[in-house]
Amino acid sequence: MTAIQTKFGRRAFIKNTSLASGGLLLGFNLLASCKDKTVEEVMRMPKEWFEVNSYLKIGDNGLVTIYTPNPEFGQNIRTSMPMLVAEELDVDWKNVLVAQAPYHAEKYGFQFTGGSQGIRRRWESLRTAGASARQMLLQAAAQSWQVAVEEITTESGVLYHKATQKSAAYGELASLAATLPVPEEVILKEVKDFKLIGKSHKNVDAKDIVTGKPMFGLDYHKDGMLIAMVEHPPAFGMTLDSVDGNEAKSMPGIVDVVTIKSYKEGFEKGGFDTNAFPELVAIVGRSTWEVMQAKKRLKIEWKPIAAYSETINGFRGKETKNIPAGLESTASHQAQMKELANRPGKIVRKDGHPEAAFKKAAKVLERSYSAPFLAHNTMEPLNAFAHVQGDKVQIAAPVQIPSLIVPAISSSLGIPAENIEMEMPRMGGGFGRKAYAHYVLEAALISQKVEAPVKLVYTREDDMTNGIYRPTYQATYRAAFDENDNLTALHVKAGGVPESPLFANRFPAGALENYLAEEWSIDSNITIGAFRAPRSNFMAGAEQAFLDEIAETMGQDPIQFRLDLLQRAKENPVGEENDYDAARYAGVLELVREKSDWTKDQTAHRGVSAYFCHNSYAAHILDLTMEKGKPVVQKVCCAIDCGIVVNPDAAKNMAEGAITDGIGNAFFGELTFKEGVPQKNNFHQYQMIRSSQAPKEIDVHFVQNEIAPTGMGEPPFPPIFGAVANALYKATGQRFYEQPFVKEKQVVG
């Protein structure tokens, strides 16, 4: 058993005995609970229980309600997070009810779903909350039965005292427990004692999802609300000049046409306040159809933007971004990228003497890889409900990081941050796009202007052409070999529009005596943002495809070649900044080699790839055949080391989704531009993977260990690009350097 200081103190842990049921309600600020400090002020009750942070309540009937603090968009954290609490509380899972907590930064801490950090960051604090509640129930039983607390045990929501044969359900002692102090220290279970964690549990929302219950942002409804849509410039590099909305306003059901400006002069943007089009025209009416029809009658003039610079205060501190004027095109981007790829870049890491090694090399292998902009294309387009009343605003929106849009809402609307209430309905996909919540701000501004509750809805075309894309990237790799085809040096130079994708300290850095990493970037007015495993989603594919070519040049098995490099990185690492664990990295390669029967003859063509990101490790072996000239993925065998797997079925589902999504983007994903205009605006042009194109089989395996959970939602995504490229080479005899790998749109029968 491990003793752990609760460190909740009075600000972080709130007891509420005001429930009509007389039950015990525990709330805990997860951000505060993770801080190494003691809080001494007297605990006080919230006036209403729903104002408590992430918490659990125990009713007198034995039911336990556990609130999920983070927003949900498919990872199944609304099941996995409550499992952590229930595990330490020692309650029967069938007696647990799960509810979504609203946004409240003070009480819930950083409510962020993304970066594969949800379970990892809540692992200790959620378990501690469950353990603290259990300890208070034990103390209540000891006081009631006049026995030593150490003599009492619990099982499935019931307290037992063996000597006197007394027992009581949690609900019977919840009221008494509520009067006791929160323990300063609790004992957390050893991994071997887990009953819920590590066992698969069905998605608590599954029935509601498949039966079409209103759960998503688009489902949100409030009596009297209006529907709003926006019109943004047709091209990046343009802004609003003038609007004539008279004809649109005269159409049936239309209430108003207004213009909005998202940010006040002097507002300092945060890292997720990205917005290419801060000045918009909004049309508001009674129904979606009426607004869509009237939107076509708007008469708007647009004008070019002037170049400007802005300071962004993001997670890495303040940075200055240069936004150029002009209408950009993919052709000009490619020409610029080619030019910069041939120039010296900014040196980010240098080990040994790579220049000398290349001069001395008997052979040099050089390859360049590229990938286009990608749109997120979440199945649920952007939407948000807002109702501004005086100096208060009520919001309901599918958003990944609610706290980061609050400063902009407060500034632009002139409303105190504490007067912003926000519900977080389930998101119909996120992948990073819904971390950039400009659409929430827009809904609030529109509501304030028309003085009515408003639901803003983006059409698919609005969503796909609004920006915040995965950047377009390019990377050039060079490898030096001696006369015996031994690898003597590696050089990578990577860049993109408008950022570099390079991770200079990731494998194979640390495994080579001579290593050089350079980067470059090109300013752009096309906005970009986090896209499932940012930057890794390109670098993994390029790196892993190049490693396969190196292995082939050396006449080595591609898996063994990687394992040999990792052995060097483990036993005699070069440099001190390597950000991966070579043993864990090797572990997924060994596991996937075993589970895929790598050494046996196969009828399909096989590609391997492995990668580290978001604190976890994933390796894939992809089996591919060519049918009528088209690639068909028969099977993917996947091995993942993400530490302790809380809910195996949910983790497996995430891996399957990441693999399928990655294959679709590798084959088809592409967004190009001409004179600032995105050349695709809906799914008739932008091809997404279809069910018939998904792998016929996905076999997922997890490395078994007792390491605290690391990332899961993103790590399986990046390496699939390299596995696809390497399998395509085996199938066609030709290397694939430019994504998408399938250039012609495939018709699905």
Side-chain angles (χ1 to χ4, degrees):
M1 295 283 187
T2 302
I4 184 167
Q5 296 291 325
T6 60
K7 301 221 187 292
F8 288 135
R10 286 122 176 113
R11 279 193 301 180
F13 211 112
I14 304 166
K15 293 192 304 178
N16 187 337
T17 55
S18 64
L19 296 178
S21 65
L24 166 65
L25 177 63
L26 296 175
F28 40 96
N29 183 319
L30 300 182
L31 189 63
S33 71
C34 292
K35 292 182 178 178
D36 187 19
K37 61 182 181 182
T38 304
V39 183
E40 297 297 337
E41 64 264 18
V42 177
M43 279 192 295
R44 57 188 178 85
M45 306 301 182
K47 293 181 181 178
E48 298 179 278
W49 65 266
F50 54 82
E51 291 181 354
V52 179
N53 191 1
S54 184
Y55 59 91
L56 64 92
K57 60 182 178 183
I58 302 173
D60 57 9
N61 63 352
L63 285 179
V64 178
T65 296
I66 301 174
Y67 283 74
T68 305
N70 292 24
E72 171 72 81
F73 68 84
Q75 300 92 326
N76 204 10
I77 56 171
R78 274 174 46 84
T79 305
S80 300
M81 284 188 175
M83 284 173 62
L84 302 182
V85 180
E87 178 68 72
E88 297 290 348
L89 180 60
D90 196 9
V91 64
D92 196 320
W93 184 246
K94 70 182 181 183
N95 292 329
V96 172
L97 303 177
V98 174
Q100 178 66 55
Y103 160 72
H104 198 300
E106 269 186 41
K107 296 176 180 176
Y108 292 92
F110 193 42
Q111 293 170 274
F112 170 40
T113 299
S116 299
Q117 297 298 303
I119 293 294
R120 178 173 178 258
R121 290 186 179 275
R122 304 278 190 184
W123 169 248
E124 187 174 285
S125 56
L126 285 171
R127 291 169 59 217
T128 302
S132 297
R134 176 179 174 273
Q135 184 64 28
M136 293 166 74
L137 288 160
L138 287 167
Q139 291 169 345
Q143 182 176 319
S144 179
W145 298 337
Q146 294 296 295
V147 298
V149 69
E150 295 80 10
E151 297 175 4
I152 302 172
T153 60
T154 64
E155 185 173 352
S156 300
V158 180
L159 297 132
Y160 296 96
H161 186 251
K162 186 176 181 180
T164 61
Q165 296 189 334
K166 289 182 178 180
S167 65
Y170 283 179
E172 297 176 56
L173 290 169
S175 292
L176 177 57
T179 67
L180 303 178
V182 176
E184 291 296 325
E185 185 176 270
V186 293
I187 302 294
L188 298 184
K189 289 184 179 181
E190 299 288 351
V191 173
K192 64 181 176 58
D193 297 322
F194 287 161
K195 298 176 182 177
L196 292 174
I197 295 172
K199 307 285 194 309
S200 291
H201 294 274
K202 292 181 180 179
N203 187 327
V204 296
D205 294 324
K207 184 177 180 180
D208 288 346
I209 293 170
V210 299
T211 56
K213 293 286 178 65
M215 306 172 63
F216 298 92
L218 277 174
D219 295 323
Y220 193 88
H221 177 80
K222 188 173 183 179
D223 289 344
M225 78 178 188
L226 302 174
I227 298 296
M229 290 186 174
V230 293
E231 187 76 10
H232 63 69
F236 291 89
M238 301 192 78
T239 189
L240 179 63
D241 189 12
S242 64
V243 58
D244 179 354
N246 290 327
E247 184 180 354
K249 285 171 69 174
S250 69
M251 295 184 68
I254 301 306
V255 173
D256 207 351
V257 173
V258 298
T259 60
I260 58 172
K261 186 174 182 179
S262 295
Y263 307 109
K264 283 187 174 180
E265 294 296 330
F267 175 72
E268 185 177 73
K269 290 184 179 180
F272 287 84
D273 286 321
T274 304
N275 190 349
F277 307 122
E279 295 186 61
L280 301 170
V281 178
I283 185 164
V284 185
R286 304 291 177 190
S287 71
T288 304
W289 180 252
E290 288 171 323
V291 173
M292 288 179 71
Q293 299 313 302
K295 185 181 173 187
K296 299 173 185 176
R297 303 295 181 91
L298 291 171
K299 296 175 182 176
I300 306 175
E301 296 292 331
W302 310 100
K303 63 182 180 182
I305 67 168
Y308 65 96
S309 296
E310 61 182 2
T311 299
I312 305 297
N313 193 359
F315 290 151
R316 292 175 291 188
K318 293 186 178 183
E319 297 179 89
T320 298
K321 302 285 187 182
N322 298 313
I323 313 300
L327 303 178
E328 302 176 21
S329 297
T330 296
S332 60
H333 286 160
Q334 290 174 341
Q336 289 176 283
M337 292 168 77
K338 184 176 180 181
E339 181 183 351
L340 284 180
N342 290 321
R343 292 184 190 174
K346 175 187 174 183
I347 295 176
V348 186
R349 174 166 172 163
K350 182 177 177 180
D351 296 328
H353 304 282
E355 298 92 345
F358 275 99
K359 273 189 178 182
K360 188 180 176 183
K363 183 188 301 182
V364 173
L365 178 68
E366 180 173 330
R367 296 291 184 261
S368 292
Y369 304 84
S370 64
F373 284 98
L374 295 176
H376 291 79
N377 293 338
T378 59
M379 289 297 98
E380 177 194 35
L382 303 177
N383 66 91
F385 168 85
H387 189 192
V388 179
Q389 294 176 289
D391 68 347
K392 293 184 169 70
V393 57
Q394 178 194 1
I395 289 167
V399 58
Q400 289 180 237
I401 322 176
S403 62
L404 296 191
I405 194 59
V406 167
I409 295 173
S410 178
S411 169
S412 297
L413 275 70
I415 289 177
E418 60 268 22
N419 289 358
I420 299 170
E421 295 182 5
M422 200 179 318
E423 296 177 52
M424 299 183 295
R426 189 183 184 94
M427 288 172 271
F431 310 114
R433 180 61 183 89
K434 288 172 184 167
Y436 304 85
H438 59 88
Y439 52 97
V440 179
L441 172 59
E442 291 159 10
L445 286 167
I446 296 167
S447 173
Q448 188 178 56
K449 282 216 168 186
V450 301
E451 298 181 343
V454 165
K455 182 162 78 172
L456 170 64
V457 178
Y458 272 50
T459 64
R460 177 60 61 190
E461 290 81 3
D462 294 333
D463 188 297
M464 200 178 293
T465 60
N466 187 262
I468 310 184
Y469 305 116
R470 196 286 300 271
T472 179
Y473 291 128
Q474 194 271 354
T476 298
Y477 281 85
R478 298 167 65 227
F481 303 89
D482 65 17
E483 60 276 5
N484 296 316
D485 286 334
N486 296 310
L487 178 63
T488 59
L490 189 139
H491 174 205
V492 56
K493 181 163 48 174
V497 181
E499 69 170 17
S500 165
L502 184 67
F503 291 95
N505 297 318
R506 289 192 180 169
F507 180 76
L512 299 162
E513 196 68 42
N514 301 301
Y515 173 80
L516 178 63
E518 299 178 87
E519 66 180 7
W520 50 267
S521 61
I522 298 169
D523 291 336
S524 175
N525 56 43
I526 298 172
T527 53
I528 57 107
F531 185 108
R532 200 172 198 166
R535 299 187 291 155
S536 296
N537 56 47
F538 169 71
M539 288 306 294
E543 167 203 292
Q544 292 293 308
F546 190 63
L547 289 179
D548 252 40
E549 285 210 56
I550 293 176
E552 184 179 54
T553 301
M554 297 173 67
Q556 293 191 12
D557 173 84
I559 293 182
Q560 191 58 51
F561 166 66
R562 289 167 170 82
L563 289 173
D564 290 344
L565 285 176
L566 288 164
Q567 187 69 17
R568 163 69 191 277
K570 178 183 175 182
E571 294 180 351
N572 189 21
V574 178
E576 298 178 354
E577 302 297 326
N578 307 320
D579 63 1
Y580 61 93
D581 182 320
R584 291 181 71 187
Y585 207 136
V588 292
L589 276 165
E590 290 166 344
L591 182 60
V592 81
R593 177 169 64 178
E594 172 196 341
K595 297 298 183 181
S596 67
D597 290 328
W598 172 255
T599 57
K600 291 186 178 180
D601 290 337
Q602 304 287 331
T603 56
H605 306 281
R606 316 192 89 180
V608 64
S609 180
Y611 197 68
F612 159 79
C613 71
H614 296 85
N615 312 104
S616 292
Y617 303 79
H620 303 311
I621 290 176
L622 181 143
D623 294 353
L624 180 146
T625 57
M626 299 298 292
E627 298 179 10
K628 298 180 180 179
K630 297 178 181 179
V632 177
V633 179
Q634 299 294 338
K635 181 179 179 179
V636 176
C637 185
C638 167
I640 302 171
D641 182 350
C642 59
I644 295 167
V645 181
V646 174
N647 189 355
D649 274 358
K652 181 182 177 185
N653 291 343
M654 279 192 281
E656 292 168 340
I659 288 166
T660 303
D661 188 19
I663 291 170
N665 279 293
F667 279 157
F668 314 120
E670 180 182 41
L671 188 64
T672 58
F673 297 85
K674 187 174 182 180
E675 297 297 312
V677 179
Q679 296 301 287
K680 298 174 183 178
N681 65 15
N682 210 320
F683 294 132
H684 68 294
Q685 298 166 319
Y686 196 112
Q687 185 163 356
M688 306 288 287
I689 194 168
R690 307 295 180 87
S691 295
S692 62
Q693 297 163 328
K696 310 302 181 193
E697 181 183 354
I698 300 177
D699 187 21
V700 181
H701 303 272
F702 296 100
V703 174
Q704 301 300 311
N705 57 42
E706 295 188 2
I707 298 171
T710 49
M712 182 59 227
E714 287 159 290
F717 184 70
I720 200 66
F721 291 81
V724 170
N726 293 332
L728 279 170
Y729 168 66
K730 298 290 181 62
T732 65
Q734 150 185 8
R735 294 285 180 183
F736 287 73
Y737 302 106
E738 298 177 0
Q739 295 175 29
F741 298 142
V742 176
K743 296 298 183 183
E744 294 183 7
K745 191 175 191 304
Q746 291 196 1
V747 178
V748 180

